[in-house]
Amino acid sequence: MGQLSTSDPDVKTVTDDVAIVTGRYAVTAPSGVGTGTFSLVMKQFDGRWRIVHDTSTSDAPPANWLICELDPGLRRGERFECVGLYSQRQAHPGRKSGST
């Protein structure tokens, strides 16, 4: 089981019973440490603050990414094809290497 810690909290009151909290998090687990940012929407119910929405973003880049080539004339709802899934260690096919 891991341990979660938070830092750098910033609280913005939206109304008397709604607030947005942003900050940083760190998760320590046997598999390693993960860090990132978080934002919470909190609402007060019967005098107690509850999280109603939670979003977090890791500092680590994704292990893989999907590259899609989109036709400039593509309209909303139309299908498109993706080039492929690439890892961090693979070069992006559209990226040139070397110097210019």
Side-chain angles (χ1 to χ4, degrees):
M1 184 108 187
Q3 182 172 347
L4 172 68
S5 62
T6 61
S7 62
D8 304 327
D10 181 36
V11 180
K12 291 189 174 43
T13 304
V14 179
T15 64
D16 289 343
D17 63 347
V18 175
I20 297 173
V21 181
T22 58
R24 296 203 46 82
Y25 74 86
V27 176
T28 306
S31 60
V33 176
T35 60
T37 58
F38 70 88
S39 63
L40 307 172
V41 177
M42 301 189 72
K43 183 164 175 51
Q44 194 174 34
F45 295 98
D46 298 324
R48 298 182 70 177
W49 288 94
R50 304 286 187 182
I51 298 170
V52 295
H53 183 78
D54 178 3
T55 300
S56 59
T57 303
S58 173
D59 288 336
N64 298 303
W65 63 85
L66 188 60
I67 300 170
C68 296
E69 293 179 348
L70 300 179
D71 180 336
L74 187 70
R75 287 185 230 145
R76 183 180 212 112
E78 289 184 330
R79 293 187 174 269
F80 59 91
E81 292 188 24
C82 291
V83 175
L85 187 64
Y86 297 87
S87 73
Q88 290 177 344
R89 294 183 185 94
Q90 291 174 307
H92 181 295
R95 193 176 293 159
K96 294 180 182 176
S97 60
S99 60
T100 56

